[in-house]
Amino acid sequence: MALAGKTKQDIVSEFRRAEILAVARTVFAAKGFNDATVDEIAQAAGIAKGTVYSYYTSKREIYLAALLEGHADLRARTRVAMEEASGIHAKLHAFIKLRLQYAEDNRDFIRIYHAEFGNLTNGAASDGQVQEVYLEQARYLESVLRDAIAAGEIRATHPEPLAFLIYDMVRSVLTQRTLGWSKNTMEDDLNLLSNLIWNGVAPR
Amino acid sequence: MALAGKTKQDIVSEFRRAEILAVARTVFAAKGFNDATVDEIAQAAGIAKGTVYSYYTSKREIYLAALLEGHADLRARTRVAMEEASGIHAKLHAFIKLRLQYAEDNRDFIRIYHAEFGNLTNGAASDGQVQEVYLEQARYLESVLRDAIAAGEIRATHPEPLAFLIYDMVRSVLTQRTLGWSKNTMEDDLNLLSNLIWNGVAPR
DNA sequence: CTGTAAAATGACCGAACAGTCATTTTATGG
DNA sequence: CCATAAAATGACTGTTCGGTCATTTTACAG
């Protein structure tokens, strides 16, 4: 029973936690951390506030769970997508494509993610845990870029800032799409981004 | 006296308003809108809370003033710098350079600016005024890019998303520098950015 | 020096809200 | 069907803080 060291209670409990998280993401996405209230989350989940506090110990804990759990999923999918692709050009293309698609499918999460990682100097990001997660993410892309530079697949530049830049370029496009400022199809935005990163703006 | 339709009181009043704004920027930069308190701003300015409220009618008004006044300055300088440069390559270089330098010289403001424009879906940015300012900014760069495309100075791409992207690429580097994550000199970061936008990452 | 208006003050008010806990409801297993 | 424990509830508490305003201080004109 080592595999299932979980009682029936544990399983139910885990399910409730997940339910609350899903609802919380919607509320936090719509209002931001400060303007969302725990009462609101409870109501949206159809339970009483006290019940929320028997699954999470604080508002912040709920928020961090919503952020970090979603992030872990995105991170895992990102790695798979990049490892499946071969060659740096394809890897970068896969990276962008996955994230554009993920944002389409997980709008609430992506709002929280951008609110947090878009503003690392305030908010939950002052939390060391969150900054660490952010850095870890960048370091993975950085290592991929470093390999590509070593293999002569791309021009030699500093891979660290480049990794951050690529994240932020994707974020930029996602923000535009989220706000309805992009008239392009996802495909168009994907190609635009991929192409810009690869070729820049210089005339051919 | 049309030029100086200002009484002595008006001038003093304007000076006090500016004093409060300067202090407010420091406090908002350090704590963010929600965690900063009006009492704190007042204390830092060496005045009582009530006095603050005789110059501004709300906390939000102070914040917006700090943001928009700083933005107007940055906007004006950005235009001058770009108009002085000739050719799109030089214009873009000037754009990046100016903003890197401005961030160095106005750290508090830039934190507020990034906190707000980095997270357009929550916070003050839900405010239509702020979004409009942001869009206006992008449209100027967009028009410059459009001209360059028409003149064949750069490859033909959609100038709208490109304008946003360039803003966000600069922001990305500024964030890294603000957090002390960049080991590069300003000059290095400037060249990296300028070069990436112009040439992409493809091997020569 | 004095009277008056403007400016500054900070105690105070009320609303919002995170978090608690005594009470009630539900589930379980004998 | 009952006894008991677990889960859910929501009224309540304490605190924080934006904004107000009666009172005090300062500035200044005559």
Side-chain angles (χ1 to χ4, degrees):
Chain A
M1 273 285 181
L3 193 145
K6 297 173 182 179
T7 68
K8 192 172 172 186
Q9 275 78 33
D10 284 341
I11 291 163
V12 170
S13 177
E14 230 161 85
F15 186 72
R16 291 255 180 283
R17 282 178 63 93
E19 271 186 327
I20 293 170
L21 262 205
V23 168
R25 262 197 273 269
T26 311
V27 176
F28 283 132
K31 305 231 187 171
F33 179 77
N34 278 288
D35 291 349
T37 70
V38 176
D39 255 318
E40 208 171 350
I41 292 167
Q43 218 167 352
I47 57 182
K49 181 159 67 159
T51 309
V52 172
Y53 279 96
S54 62
Y55 290 97
Y56 293 94
T57 64
S58 70
K59 182 183 174 185
R60 165 144 299 228
E61 193 191 295
I62 303 171
Y63 187 73
L64 284 179
L67 178 65
L68 295 176
E69 194 206 63
H71 173 265
D73 182 50
L74 174 56
R75 174 184 182 280
R77 288 168 191 267
T78 299
R79 294 209 172 194
V80 169
M82 288 184 81
E83 276 156 19
E84 277 174 356
S86 70
I88 186 67
H89 186 274
K91 276 180 194 289
L92 288 177
H93 195 83
F95 174 85
I96 302 164
K97 183 174 182 179
L98 180 108
R99 293 175 88 92
L100 280 170
Q101 186 61 54
Y102 196 85
E104 203 92 341
D105 301 339
N106 302 273
R107 284 167 199 253
D108 288 338
F109 164 69
I110 238 62
R111 283 212 173 190
I112 296 171
Y113 179 79
H114 282 167
E116 219 42 65
F117 290 157
N119 175 17
L120 287 168
T121 49
N122 292 121
S126 328
D127 190 311
Q129 200 184 359
V130 173
Q131 285 207 1
E132 194 38 57
V133 158
Y134 183 78
L135 279 169
E136 193 273 341
Q137 202 181 38
R139 277 195 294 257
Y140 173 67
L141 184 52
E142 187 189 322
S143 76
V144 172
L145 289 168
R146 203 181 289 280
D147 292 346
I149 291 170
E153 287 186 292
I154 58 176
R155 294 195 287 121
T157 34
H158 301 283
E160 312 93 348
L162 190 54
F164 285 111
L165 269 163
I166 290 172
Y167 270 103
D168 283 326
M169 289 170 81
V170 176
R171 193 165 75 86
S172 178
V173 170
L174 292 183
T175 299
Q176 291 169 58
R177 296 185 65 81
T178 300
L179 293 173
W181 292 353
S182 175
K183 299 153 205 152
N184 297 341
T185 63
M186 206 183 84
E187 194 73 14
D188 284 345
D189 276 337
L190 167 59
N191 290 328
L192 176 83
L193 248 185
S194 180
N195 198 34
L196 176 64
I197 292 173
W198 198 255
N199 294 311
V201 298
R204 294 175 199 279
Chain B
M1 274 287 183
L3 195 146
K6 297 172 181 176
T7 68
K8 191 172 171 187
Q9 275 79 35
D10 285 342
I11 291 164
V12 170
S13 177
E14 231 160 83
F15 185 72
R16 290 254 179 284
R17 281 177 63 95
E19 271 186 328
I20 293 170
L21 264 204
V23 169
R25 263 198 273 268
T26 312
V27 176
F28 283 131
K31 305 230 185 171
F33 179 77
N34 278 288
D35 292 348
T37 70
V38 176
D39 255 319
E40 208 173 350
I41 292 167
Q43 219 167 350
I47 58 181
K49 183 160 65 160
T51 308
V52 171
Y53 279 95
S54 61
Y55 290 96
Y56 293 94
T57 63
S58 71
K59 183 184 175 184
R60 166 144 297 228
E61 193 192 294
I62 302 171
Y63 187 72
L64 284 179
L67 178 65
L68 296 176
E69 193 206 64
H71 173 266
D73 183 48
L74 174 56
R75 173 184 183 278
R77 287 168 192 268
T78 300
R79 295 208 170 193
V80 169
M82 289 185 80
E83 276 157 19
E84 276 175 355
S86 68
I88 187 67
H89 187 275
K91 277 178 193 289
L92 288 176
H93 196 83
F95 174 85
I96 302 164
K97 183 175 184 181
L98 179 107
R99 293 175 89 93
L100 281 170
Q101 187 60 54
Y102 196 85
E104 203 92 341
D105 301 338
N106 302 273
R107 285 170 198 251
D108 288 337
F109 164 69
I110 237 61
R111 283 211 173 192
I112 297 172
Y113 179 80
H114 283 166
E116 218 43 63
F117 290 155
N119 175 17
L120 286 168
T121 49
N122 292 122
S126 328
D127 190 309
Q129 199 184 359
V130 173
Q131 285 208 1
E132 193 39 56
V133 157
Y134 184 77
L135 279 170
E136 193 272 342
Q137 202 180 38
R139 277 194 294 256
Y140 173 67
L141 184 51
E142 187 190 321
S143 76
V144 171
L145 290 168
R146 203 181 290 279
D147 292 346
I149 291 170
E153 287 187 292
I154 60 177
R155 293 196 289 120
T157 34
H158 301 282
E160 311 91 350
L162 189 53
F164 285 112
L165 269 163
I166 291 173
Y167 270 102
D168 283 325
M169 290 171 80
V170 176
R171 192 164 76 86
S172 177
V173 171
L174 292 183
T175 299
Q176 291 169 58
R177 296 185 66 80
T178 299
L179 292 172
W181 292 353
S182 174
K183 301 153 203 151
N184 297 340
T185 62
M186 206 183 83
E187 195 72 15
D188 284 344
D189 276 337
L190 168 59
N191 291 327
L192 177 84
L193 249 185
S194 180
N195 198 31
L196 177 63
I197 291 173
W198 197 255
N199 294 313
V201 298
R204 294 174 200 280

